[in-house]
Amino acid sequence: MHNNIIKKISVFFMSVFLIFALVGCGNTVNTTSSNKPKPKPKPKITAQYIVDTLKAKEGNYMTDIVVTTADNDENKLLGRPHQYTEKINWKDSRAKDSHTDCTVEIFKNSEDAITRKNYVDNIEKNMAPLVQYLDQKKNVLLRIDGRLTPQQSKEYTDIFDKLMQSSTTS
């Protein structure tokens, strides 16, 4: 009888040990913040990223897209102090007989972009054929051909504004 009690006690403790071992190996609910979906990182703004985003919506009208390099920069400003570090030009097919391109220019900082916007704005005051719609956010200047209607220009600037709200710059 003494052996029977010892066997029962041993079985009891082994059962308890086995239950704890199985519970310990079971699935646990992790309540740390790592289970929460991480927000997508904001995309970095580049001239190419902006043009690609505009093309996704306005691509039917965007033609003759040219990435500015040191060799083809008519203004010879690319990379110079306080000037644009990236620039892409395109034409909008709705602006008939226009000699003005649409442009996105990226600057090292917002102060340089503001200075450029003011400079272009002052030139346009004296040269009506070169009028453009200008939209500057952070370190980016968007220039839209003035031959487009205000509503057509707004199509670009609405996309640009939304893009700049959801992105980071340099």
Side-chain angles (χ1 to χ4, degrees), residues 16-137:
V16 170
F17 175 77
L18 185 59
I19 288 172
F20 282 115
L22 289 175
V23 169
C25 293
N27 290 336
T28 59
V29 176
N30 188 351
T31 59
T32 64
S33 63
S34 64
N35 281 346
K36 294 179 184 176
K38 293 181 182 177
K40 288 183 182 178
K42 292 183 174 186
K44 185 177 185 289
I45 291 296
T46 64
Q48 190 64 58
Y49 181 73
I50 293 170
V51 169
D52 289 345
T53 303
L54 293 172
K55 274 177 34 180
K57 304 281 185 184
E58 297 294 315
N60 292 338
Y61 308 113
M62 294 173 71
T63 64
D64 303 330
I65 298 171
V66 178
V67 176
T68 300
T69 66
D71 294 331
N72 68 6
D73 185 7
E74 294 175 4
N75 299 319
K76 304 296 181 206
L77 298 176
L78 182 67
R80 303 217 188 271
H82 309 290
Q83 301 301 326
Y84 44 82
T85 57
E86 298 177 49
K87 179 178 177 179
I88 298 180
N89 297 329
W90 71 92
K91 296 205 179 294
D92 186 299
S93 60
R94 298 171 290 184
K96 302 295 181 201
D97 302 320
S98 178
H99 300 290
T100 305
D101 289 338
C102 298
T103 304
V104 62
E105 299 172 347
I106 308 285
F107 295 83
K108 190 172 184 175
N109 55 56
S110 60
E111 293 81 16
D112 291 344
I114 291 167
T115 300
R116 174 74 168 168
K117 179 182 184 276
N118 292 338
Y119 172 77
V120 172
D121 220 8
N122 285 330
I123 290 175
E124 291 177 356
K125 288 177 185 175
N126 298 316
M127 302 181 84
L130 299 178
V131 170
Q132 293 180 310
Y133 300 96
L134 302 176
D135 192 358
Q136 182 264 321
K137 301 279 186 277

Side-chain angles (χ1 to χ4, degrees), residues 53-54 57-58 135 137 142 144 150-166:
T53 303
L54 293 172
K57 304 281 185 184
E58 297 294 315
D135 192 358
K137 301 279 186 277
L142 179 69
I144 303 299
Q151 182 57 41
Q152 291 168 332
S153 171
K154 189 174 181 323
E155 292 169 13
Y156 284 112
T157 58
D158 285 351
I159 297 165
F160 175 67
D161 291 347
K162 189 174 185 180
L163 175 68
M164 292 304 292
Q165 289 173 359
S166 65

